[in-house]
Amino acid sequence: MSRPAPRAGRYRRPLPPIGRYALRVGAIAAALGLWQLLTGLDVDLWLRFSQFPTVTDVAHAFADRLSGADYWTDLADSLTRIVTGFLLAAVLGVAGGALVARSRLAEDVLGPLLEVVRPIPAIALVPVAILLFPSNEQGIVFITFTAAFFPVLVSTRHSVRALTPVWEEAVLTMGGGRWRILGSVVLPGALPGIFGGLSVGIGVSWICVISAEMISGQYGVGYRTWQDYTIVNYPGVFVGMVTIGVLGWLTSTTVELLGRRLTRWLPRTSYAAVTRPTAPRTLEPARPAPAAARTDQPSDPEEARDEHLV
């Protein structure tokens, strides 16, 4: 007995761009609504939501903070620190990763030192920054740079080492030199991995710059958030948290869009509609013909001709 063939899978139509944006906004609105509900009802089951400010309290604090000059000063200081440290880490991380991956001498000299320093959390270097740099501003930039440097370095190193040697041999065959290989093969081929490291580095940089501002900063989003906590201004603390989240999302999105722009030649994975794979149909085995239908005539024409000749 053969099993019936399963029905073919239906196409899943992708949402239009407006639908996707509406879905994202709806998810955020649902999260805010749940927050307002739990804090407004003072729910205390295991998590103590009664200690949290409500969404309306945070919104009022946000509006008051936006009308003052300190908020924009803190925003400008944090952005200046993150951009300066991250750009330094991007340039030196890509250069260092390519150098270590391409030069055996550099790997032997710099590799052990980098691997010893890399596991140290960047925020643990705050005492070193205080002793090393003459101002807190330079020390915070150093912490931000250290946080982003190692993700970019490691990602670049692995991306360069993963390149196929066929491309380099092709450039050498056409008479290209070392710099030609670097500009036309190594850096373009490693761009996807480099931007992967940059995306990780910008997120870690925000974590460390906020922590450094809380410890030794003067002005900045992290500094202001910690000051609100010390004076028990919890709505102000949540204003700082929301600001940090929005800034981190904007900067990481900028890095991602820049990466897509520079790697347009790569194939993209689309959210196209797909069908579920269907099971192959089971072929029913051939049944033997009934005895009445059998004949002694050969089925092959050649055999019939031979028998006729005989």
Side-chain angles (χ1 to χ4, degrees), residues 63-85:
D64 295 338
R65 194 66 61 84
L66 289 175
S67 61
D70 291 340
Y71 179 82
W72 302 106
T73 302
D74 296 334
L75 204 66
D77 289 344
S78 295
L79 284 175
T80 301
R81 293 162 180 167
I82 197 76
V83 170
T84 304

Side-chain angles (χ1 to χ4, degrees), residues 17 28 62 68 71 103 105-106 148 156 161 198-199 260 280-281 296 298:
I28 296 176
F62 213 135
Y71 179 82
S103 173
L105 177 62
T156 303
R161 287 178 176 175
L198 291 175
S199 298
R260 290 182 180 180
R281 294 185 178 182
D296 294 334

Side-chain angles (χ1 to χ4, degrees), residues 13 20 27-28 47-49 99 101 110 169 193 207 230 238 249 255 291:
R13 296 180 180 179
R20 294 185 61 195
I28 296 176
L47 300 175
R48 299 177 299 175
F49 290 100
L99 181 63
L110 300 177
E169 294 172 358
I207 297 174
T230 57
F238 277 84
W249 171 67
V255 173

